[in-house]
Amino acid sequence: MGEFELIKRYFSGLDHGPNTLIGLGDDAAVLNIPPDHTLVVSVDTSVVGTHFLESTFAEAVAYRSIASAASDLAAMGAKPLGMTLAITLPEVDEWWLRTFSEGLCRACADFQCPLIGGDTTRGPLTISITVHGLLPEGRALTRDGAKPGDDIYVSGTLGNAAGGLKVELNECEGDDFELNERLHDAWLSPTPRLELGQTLLPFATSCIDISDGLLADLGHIIKASQVGAKLNLADIPLSAELVTVFGQDAALAMALKGGEDYELCFTLPEGTAAPQGCRRIGKITDGTGIETKDGPLTFEGWTHF
Amino acid sequence: MGEFELIKRYFSGLDHGPNTLIGLGDDAAVLNIPPDHTLVVSVDTSVVGTHFLESTFAEAVAYRSIASAASDLAAMGAKPLGMTLAITLPEVDEWWLRTFSEGLCRACADFQCPLIGGDTTRGPLTISITVHGLLPEGRALTRDGAKPGDDIYVSGTLGNAAGGLKVELNECEGDDFELNERLHDAWLSPTPRLELGQTLLPFATSCIDISDGLLADLGHIIKASQVGAKLNLADIPLSAELVTVFGQDAALAMALKGGEDYELCFTLPEGTAAPQGCRRIGKITDGTGIETKDGPLTFEGWTHF
C-alpha cells in the first residue's frame, strides 16, 4: 500500500466541520475564521517508549495523543476548530492502523475537532498533533493573571492517570480488576475539559491544564503571575478507586506529582462560585512558591531532559 | 539542562509578528486573523534517515524542514502567519541545538514566519513543522482548476535538489567543487516560492509545489482537475551546473523525477503572461495522463511506503 492509499484508507473523511473550506487532498487546508474571533494554536507530540508503550492499544495511542493536545485548547478557554496529524510509522501494519484510526474517529467526534490535514512519513513511531481553536476576540485564559486572595480550584479528581499508568506498566499490585481498569481508562482515554474551559473564560483569572502534575502546573501559574500559593492538602480531590488501590498517602502523592490527568487548575476572585465538579484546594498568596500549613512544597514534575 | 531551559535557550524570541497576540510560554499561542481572510494550515515532517542524514548540518536540517512546509503555503498562494515546531531529540547536544536554532532563525526571517509554539520531546530525531498562512477570503490556489488548453508553467530550474542530494550522499562523481556545492546548496537550503504564489493567486487556474518530482506533482494536478497534460521535454528548465555535472539525459531525468526542488508548477489560461523566471513547459489536454510528442510518461515519484 502506498502513502496516498494509506492516507485515503485510514485518515480521510474526518475533515468535515462548520469552518472547513478545503480539507484533505490539496497542498494545505483552508479554514474559515468567524468574525471577531482569534485563532489558538498548540502542538503536542507523543513518542513510543516515552509517552506510551509499544504494547499500548493503538486506539488509545490516537485518542490520548489528541486529548492531550486538545487539553491545551481547554486551558485557554478555546473551542476546537480543527487539527493536523503528523504521524511517523516504522511500517504499514494494517491492523494497527485500523485500530489507530478508530481512536482518531472517536476523538474527532468527542472533541468536535475535524482532522483537516496531515503528513505520513516513515521512521520510529511518533505522533504529533497540532490543534487549532477559536476564542472571542480579546479573550483568553492565560497563566499570568492570578492575584493574591484568589481561590485555587481544580476540576475532577487528580492522580487517576498516574495510577492508570502503573496498571499499563504492570506495576499495580491491586487485585481488584474493575478498580484497576477504571484507573487504566483514565490514562488510556483522558477527557480534556473543553466545555469547562469555555465556561471559565469570562471570570477565571488564570488557568492551566494538569499535564505535568498539579505542583508543576500550579507552579507555572504562580511563576507567570508572580505570586505564591497555599494549598490545603486535605481538599485535593482523590477518587475512591485511587485511594482504595494505592492507599491515601500514595494517592495524594500521585495527585500532586503525577501528570496526564488533563483536568484544569484555575483561579477565581475570592468568593466567586465555581462550576459544578470543581473543588477549591487553596488560595493565591503574595509570597513565592507553593506551601501548605506544614511548610513549602517543591514543584517537581515531568520534564523530558 | 531541563526541557524548559532548552526551549528558552534555543527556541524562544522568534514568536514576534504582526499577528502574534500571545506567543510562546502559555498553553497555546493566540493569533489575530485580519478581517476578510481565511486561515491556511499544512504540516510537514522530516525524519533522520529518511529526509536527511545523521551527518546533515543541523542548520540545514532546520532550514529545509521549514522551507518544505512553507512551500505548501506558497502552493496555495498564502502569506505566512506563523508556525509551530514539534521536535523529538535523542539527547541534548548543545552544539547541534545551537546550529539548528541558527537555521530556525534564518528561516523565520527569510519566510517572515514567526515560531509561535512548539513541543520538545525525547526520542529519535524527528522534526514536524505546522505552518499557518493567510489568504484573502474566497481565494486559493488549488490543484483542481486546470482546464484543457491551459498552459503549464514551472518556476526556476528543476532537478538541482536531486543533484544536490547526490552530493550529500557522496554519490556525485563530478570533480568541480564549486558546481557541486551550488547543487548541494539547492538541496540544503531550498527557497519556497512564497511571493510567486501570492502573485499567481488572482490568475492561475491550478498550482502545486514540486516536492515529489515534476511528473508526480503535475500528476496530482491532472488527477484532481480530471484532465491530461502534454509536456515539451526540451522546454523543461535545467540549470547549467546540473547539466555540466551529470550530463543532459541524467539532468532531465532528475528534473522529471527528483523531488524537493520546491519550485511551483502551475497552469494559466492560454496566452496569459507568466511572471518573470517561469517557463512554459506544455499544455493541459482533454486526455488523461502525461504525454510527450513521443508517447506517455509515468508519474513515478517519491512515496514513503
Side-chain angles (χ1 to χ4, degrees), chain A residues 63-111:
Chain A
Y63 195 87
R64 64 193 303 283
S65 298
I66 299 166
S68 84
S71 179
D72 285 318
L73 295 181
M76 301 298 284
K79 190 176 168 173
L81 173 69
M83 64 174 157
T84 61
L85 160 69
I87 185 165
T88 304
L89 293 166
E91 61 186 342
V92 175
D93 173 337
E94 298 208 27
W95 185 84
W96 193 93
L97 277 164
R98 192 159 59 231
T99 317
F100 183 88
S101 85
E102 283 166 12
L104 200 60
C105 280
R106 184 162 67 94
C108 285
D110 284 0
F111 312 147

Side-chain angles (χ1 to χ4, degrees), chain A residues 98-215:
Chain A
R98 192 159 59 231
T99 317
F100 183 88
S101 85
E102 283 166 12
L104 200 60
C105 280
R106 184 162 67 94
C108 285
D110 284 0
F111 312 147
Q112 300 271 301
C113 193
L115 178 69
I116 50 123
D119 192 22
T120 308
T121 48
R122 187 189 277 272
L125 185 57
T126 308
I127 292 133
S128 188
I129 305 281
T130 307
V131 283
H132 302 82
L134 294 171
L135 274 174
E137 206 174 314
R139 284 273 175 78
L141 289 178
T142 58
R143 299 175 177 183
D144 61 359
K147 301 273 180 304
D150 283 357
D151 291 319
I152 305 169
Y153 283 86
V154 291
S155 60
T157 58
L158 302 184
N160 286 11
L165 177 59
K166 286 195 180 287
V167 178
E168 175 75 9
L169 293 170
N170 275 319
E171 289 173 4
C172 175
E173 289 170 11
D175 53 6
D176 185 322
F177 180 78
E178 203 188 309
L179 291 187
N180 288 354
E181 278 312 289
R182 262 192 256 164
L183 295 174
H184 197 194
D185 280 349
W187 184 81
L188 286 171
S189 194
T191 302
R193 300 297 175 190
L194 289 158
E195 278 184 35
L196 176 61
Q198 291 166 62
T199 303
L200 292 172
L201 191 53
F203 58 99
T205 51
S206 72
C207 186
I208 195 168
D209 67 317
I210 303 178
S211 54
D212 296 335
L214 175 64
L215 295 187

